[in-house]
Amino acid sequence: MLTVKAVAKQLGQIQQEIEKHLKAGHPRYLVPEPSLGWVISPNSSHYSLPYHSNSFGFRVVPAFVESGAHPLRLGFFGDSLVHGDEVNDVDCWVSRLQEKLPSIQVFNAGVPGYGTDQSLMRLEECTVPLDWVFLGLALCDETRNINILRIHRSENTAIPFMKPRFILTQNGLQKVNPPFADFHQLQENYLKPETQAFLKQYDFYYPTHPYWSQYQNKINRMFRKFRVPLSLGKNPFKLARKLTFKILERFAEYSASKNLKATVLLVPTEHELQEESSAFHEYIQEISRLKLLYWDLREAFVQKNLQAYAPSELWCPQGHFSIQTSEWIADFLAKKIKEKL
């Protein structure tokens, strides 16, 4: 059962594991950060996964060679589906795209575990000069936008850090930051009264009533899976979607204020490719209302004979894009970008 005590125990176990790796001298790829929750450490590598970062704290994108002339600079912001989890640096779709656009510089600013909110916050804090920015929008990230501590929402996670989030106010979006803790204070910080008060106010998944919260979330997810138009208690998906619409609006406003070309990428999971999603249709309507350019990455899979491939050839074990699907996405985006240019 998910309780404050159970969460604290899990945080303590993760903290001990992290400290063990730190004492052994293993590098840290993801590190806690006050303004964004967590970031990729610059010039780092993951101790067990094939991930490496550059001096900006972006994932390494091989193949681009600086020629002296100022190239067009593209920045891709988003979650693990943009970052390219479970594949090597050279095999994620952002790197494959760079190979197909050798005269353009491509930056992979995706971060594992990010919500749409953090992706936008990362863009707003980005100091790298960019000309064209892409914001990845995955339906699996919606409820991350109403969540602070990932363990509250998903017990099977290795990310123990708390994240900021946006709340809706009469003046638009307001950012709220949780009490910050480094690697060595995760459990201690979580149990502080002020932290508990903050989480209780701002984290939709905070276990106020453990039994009710646990089963309510499971039943609501089941309702959503089978498209039952019901919900127990507050509907997390309705709240999250309303907030995500506002995040897209802020993305449009921010990009316009900085004279940045902006595009939303609708990023599907295996589920969205198997079944028609009405949610993407709602987002397309909202993005069109905002007069934002969008590209639907489901189109990268059109005319592909998916039945000819084993699921393991299309998806990594945790549901991220494989080398094959990354290649299809890179082909699709390269064609789109060349058309726009």
Side-chain angles (χ1 to χ4, degrees):
M1 180 178 64
L2 185 66
T3 63
V4 169
K5 184 177 180 180
V7 172
K9 181 179 179 181
Q10 186 172 346
L11 282 173
Q13 292 170 342
I14 295 174
Q15 183 174 315
Q16 290 177 5
E17 190 68 21
I18 290 174
E19 289 176 342
K20 183 175 72 175
H21 286 297
L22 290 173
K23 288 178 181 177
H26 295 158
R28 296 302 306 176
Y29 188 68
L30 292 182
V31 295
E33 198 276 337
S35 182
L36 295 172
W38 60 90
V39 294
I40 296 173
S41 182
N43 297 315
S44 67
S45 60
H46 196 286
Y47 72 92
S48 65
L49 297 170
Y51 311 155
H52 301 82
S53 68
N54 61 21
S55 59
F56 302 120
F58 293 165
R59 188 171 187 181
V60 164
V61 177
F64 179 78
V65 178
E66 194 77 52
S67 63
H70 176 67
L72 187 70
R73 290 183 157 199
L74 278 56
F76 290 84
F77 294 79
D79 64 358
S80 57
L81 292 166
V82 174
H83 175 264
D85 275 24
E86 299 188 84
V87 295
N88 291 298
D89 296 331
V90 296
D91 291 322
C92 61
W93 60 263
V94 178
S95 294
R96 291 294 182 95
L97 178 62
Q98 176 68 89
E99 293 177 4
K100 300 173 191 301
L101 301 172
S103 63
I104 295 173
Q105 189 165 14
V106 176
F107 293 95
N108 186 345
V111 180
Y114 264 24
T116 323
D117 50 5
Q118 289 168 287
S119 301
L120 177 58
M121 294 172 195
R122 183 165 167 82
L123 168 60
E124 292 179 344
E125 295 187 15
C126 180
T127 58
V128 178
L130 299 170
D131 304 295
W132 193 347
V133 292
F134 296 80
L135 181 67
L137 177 64
L139 296 181
C140 57
D141 296 344
E142 282 185 310
T143 51
R144 295 179 187 179
N145 299 331
I146 56 173
N147 175 232
I148 300 290
L149 180 64
R150 191 179 177 90
I151 294 174
H152 287 161
R153 174 180 169 272
S154 175
E155 296 177 63
N156 298 320
T157 180
I159 297 179
F161 314 121
M162 289 187 283
K163 62 178 277 294
R165 60 161 289 197
F166 289 122
I167 59 172
L168 291 167
T169 70
Q170 291 182 339
N171 298 320
L173 293 178
Q174 176 187 332
K175 182 182 176 183
V176 293
N177 291 295
F180 178 71
D182 65 16
F183 290 120
H184 309 288
Q185 301 171 318
L186 299 173
Q187 186 184 55
E188 176 188 355
N189 182 58
Y190 177 74
L191 290 173
K192 289 180 178 178
E194 57 267 33
T195 303
Q196 288 295 306
F198 179 89
L199 292 169
K200 193 171 184 178
Q201 181 177 2
Y202 293 118
D203 192 334
F204 180 90
Y205 294 97
Y206 180 81
T208 307
H209 306 290
Y211 286 108
W212 169 246
S213 299
Q214 181 183 21
Y215 292 109
Q216 176 187 346
N217 291 336
K218 288 183 178 179
I219 292 171
N220 281 335
R221 288 183 184 279
M222 182 181 69
F223 283 166
R224 190 186 193 206
K225 179 180 179 181
F226 294 104
R227 300 182 183 180
V228 177
L230 297 172
S231 64
L232 293 180
K234 289 184 178 180
N235 187 334
F237 305 106
K238 184 177 180 180
L239 293 172
R241 188 155 304 166
K242 181 179 180 181
L243 183 60
T244 309
F245 280 178
K246 281 294 183 182
I247 291 171
L248 291 175
E249 184 176 322
R250 179 158 166 158
F251 172 60
E253 292 170 352
Y254 176 81
S255 302
S257 71
K258 299 295 183 181
N259 294 316
L260 292 169
K261 190 176 181 68
T263 302
V264 175
L265 296 179
L266 299 178
V267 185
T269 62
E270 184 178 6
H271 176 74
E272 280 85 52
L273 287 177
Q274 291 176 341
E275 297 184 19
E276 181 63 28
S277 174
S278 60
F280 267 153
H281 180 66
E282 289 182 36
Y283 276 111
I284 288 170
Q285 288 182 316
E286 179 65 14
I287 292 166
S288 300
R289 184 187 71 80
L290 295 170
K291 296 181 170 55
L292 271 169
L293 177 66
Y294 77 90
W295 291 336
D296 189 341
L297 295 189
R298 291 178 297 179
E299 295 179 28
F301 297 83
V302 173
Q303 296 182 341
K304 305 294 185 186
N305 183 12
L306 301 184
Q307 305 303 320
Y309 297 86
S312 60
E313 294 179 277
L314 301 177
W315 305 97
C316 294
Q318 295 180 18
H320 298 96
F321 298 118
S322 69
I323 295 174
Q324 179 62 74
T325 48
S326 295
E327 181 68 18
W328 290 344
I329 290 171
D331 281 337
F332 171 76
L333 288 176
K335 181 180 178 182
K336 284 285 191 181
I337 291 168
K338 288 174 181 177
E339 288 173 355
K340 280 294 177 182
L341 295 178

